[in-house]
């Protein structure tokens, strides 16, 4: 009789552990899918704002409560290959006309002050009219960035945006918010 009771207790203990592990897995899956995610930056297209190999926190639910704005740094599915995620800055929103003349960015005819870019931009691009519910993206390292200027599908749809980059967690020497 004692053996059966201990076998029963052992089975309850094992089931308790399985249930706890399963619940933890489901909570982690929910958080990663809907709340936030950590991403690595493998390229220098966002220098000097984001460095190579930075680890960033991406808030996924934020755009349920606020609109996507010019200047936001976002993670999105690359329009020419949706299996790849990119990190870029939102430059234009639906309805904007983006024009780059002699390396200077104009949005709706207004020259933009961009203190975050790595170096002065080179070239002429556009004009581009951003469709409704779409966005024009550029890296801060303008002269070394694969961005909306060069893609076959120039604009990122709202549905392709995975979240907003808000915080750098690694390396610790640069820990802090991203702007």
């Amino acid at each position: 009789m004692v053996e059966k009771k201990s076998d029963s207790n052992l089975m309850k203990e094992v089931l308790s552990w399985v249930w706890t592990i399963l619940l933890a897995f489901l909570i982690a899956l929910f958080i990663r899918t809907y709340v936030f995610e950590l991403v690595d930056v493998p390229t220098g297209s966002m220098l000097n704002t984001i460095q190579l190999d930075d680890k960033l926190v991406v808030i996924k639910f934020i755009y349920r409560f606020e609109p996507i704005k010019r200047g936001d740094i976002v993670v999105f599915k690359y329009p020419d290959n949706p299996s790849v995620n990119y990190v870029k800055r939102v430059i234009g929103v639906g309805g904007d006309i983006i024009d780059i003349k002699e390396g200077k960015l104009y949005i709706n005819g207004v020259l933009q002050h961009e203190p975050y870019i790595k170096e002065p931009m080179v070239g002429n691009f556009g004009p581009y009219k951003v469709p409704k519910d779409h966005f024009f993206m550029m890296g801060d390292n303008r002269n070394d960035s694969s961005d909306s200027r060069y893609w076959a599908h120039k604009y990122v749809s709202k549905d392709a945006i995975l979240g907003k980059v808000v915080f750098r967690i690694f390396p610790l020497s640069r820990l802090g918010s991203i702007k």
Side-chain angles (χ1 to χ4, degrees):
M1 182 111 178
V2 173
E3 282 184 35
K4 286 190 176 187
K5 189 171 185 180
S6 68
D7 285 347
S8 175
N9 286 340
L10 178 63
M11 187 57 138
K12 284 181 184 178
E13 186 69 22
V14 168
L15 287 175
S16 172
W17 277 100
V18 167
W19 174 248
T20 302
I21 292 168
L22 180 62
L23 187 59
F25 175 77
L26 291 174
I27 290 170
L29 185 63
F30 174 82
I31 289 171
R32 186 166 190 264
T33 302
Y34 298 107
V35 181
F36 74 89
E37 184 172 347
L38 300 178
V39 297
D40 295 317
V41 179
T43 73
S45 72
M46 286 297 292
L47 290 170
N48 286 332
T49 307
I50 299 171
Q51 303 296 314
L52 285 162
D53 299 321
D54 278 359
K55 287 199 182 298
L56 309 172
V57 175
V58 177
I59 302 297
K60 292 184 164 190
F61 64 88
I62 197 163
Y63 292 126
R64 295 182 191 273
F65 303 104
E66 67 179 52
I68 300 166
K69 300 177 290 298
R70 274 187 226 107
D72 286 355
I73 298 174
V74 298
V75 174
F76 57 92
K77 294 184 178 303
Y78 172 45
D80 292 344
N81 181 358
S83 68
V84 176
N85 293 341
Y86 270 27
V87 176
K88 302 283 183 207
R89 188 177 298 271
V90 176
I91 298 301
V93 299
D96 283 346
I97 296 175
I98 308 299
D99 204 3
I100 300 163
K101 298 176 187 170
E102 298 178 11
K104 295 189 179 2
L105 173 65
Y106 294 83
I107 300 175
N108 302 321
V110 178
L111 177 63
Q112 302 298 300
H113 174 66
E114 299 183 286
Y116 44 78
I117 65 173
K118 183 175 189 253
E119 60 192 9
M121 187 172 23
V122 175
N124 296 297
F125 301 90
Y128 307 105
K129 181 164 177 145
V130 183
K132 181 181 180 189
D133 293 326
H134 285 75
F135 303 89
F136 191 88
M137 306 292 188
M138 292 175 74
D140 290 356
N141 186 2
R142 299 286 163 79
N143 298 321
D144 191 19
S145 175
S146 170
D147 53 39
S148 287
R149 296 170 291 170
Y150 302 106
W151 302 335
H153 301 92
K154 301 256 178 247
Y155 310 103
V156 176
S157 72
K158 185 176 183 178
D159 295 339
I161 295 181
L162 304 175
K164 181 178 181 178
V165 173
V166 294
F167 202 77
R168 177 183 2 253
I169 62 166
F170 188 83
L172 295 177
S173 62
R174 290 194 311 272
L175 182 74
S177 63
I178 304 277
K179 294 185 185 194

